[in-house]
Amino acid sequence: MQTQPRPVRVVRWFHALCDGLVALLPGRLRGFVAPTFVGYLLVSAFTFGVDLLLLTALHAVAPLPVAVTVAYCTAFGLSYLLNRVLNFESHASVGPQLARYIVVVVVNYLAFILGVTSGVAALGVDYRIARVVGSLGEGLFMYASMRWIVFRTKTAP
């Protein structure tokens, strides 16, 4: 019996985990939620944790803007890598894909992190709640962009 290489086993395990979590959802929701959305949520939760850990560690030795920027960029880079390898299993050329990802991240930052958060806060909502509202749109935008723009696959005609 041949064993699969470790990276293949990790990817298969990740997909089995996502499929298993989708299977736990109620019937109607199960048919609506893609396993890649669950995978995106898992990757995002992990990279958010990395972002916070780096921010905390770097803030002790660097100015806050530097710590925030390095932690944010590292988390988004890690998110790209994990989504590419684990979640979407993309084998497309990295260059064009990474360029699309960077554009998506910039649009996300301007529209949701700055735009929605600032707009909702300007309506008188506490900035923390405004950031949560912005992050809801951010999460949906980032998943849709990764699925249909960054890691899109060509389908047969």
Side-chain angles (χ1 to χ4, degrees):
M1 181 172 135
Q2 285 185 332
T3 60
Q4 296 175 330
R6 177 175 234 135
V8 172
R9 285 185 299 197
V10 170
V11 171
R12 297 291 167 246
W13 172 84
F14 184 79
H15 282 273
L17 173 65
C18 294
D19 290 340
L21 291 172
V22 169
L24 294 174
L25 297 172
R28 282 191 159 160
L29 194 55
R30 190 179 320 125
F32 182 70
V33 175
T36 55
F37 184 68
V38 173
Y40 167 78
L41 293 175
L42 292 173
V43 167
S44 294
F46 176 74
T47 57
F48 182 67
V50 169
D51 187 348
L52 290 179
L53 285 171
L54 276 174
L55 175 61
T56 302
L58 292 172
H59 188 322
V61 297
L64 184 60
V66 172
V68 167
T69 302
V70 171
Y72 182 79
C73 290
T74 301
F76 265 96
L78 184 58
S79 174
Y80 168 81
L81 178 66
L82 292 176
N83 273 297
R84 176 182 163 83
V85 173
L86 290 178
N87 198 28
F88 295 102
E89 286 188 272
S90 178
H91 300 288
S93 178
V94 172
Q97 200 176 64
L98 187 56
R100 288 190 304 266
Y101 182 72
I102 290 169
V103 169
V104 164
V105 168
V106 169
V107 169
N108 170 66
Y109 181 77
L110 295 173
F112 293 99
I113 295 174
L114 291 181
V116 172
T117 301
S118 299
V120 172
L123 295 173
V125 176
D126 182 88
Y127 72 93
R128 290 166 288 220
I129 295 170
R131 180 62 185 103
V132 169
V133 170
S135 69
L136 294 174
E138 172 188 3
L140 294 173
F141 171 77
M142 286 301 296
Y143 171 71
S145 296
M146 280 194 229
R147 182 170 179 183
W148 291 299
I149 298 171
V150 176
F151 301 113
R152 71 177 182 250
T153 57
K154 294 181 181 175
T155 55

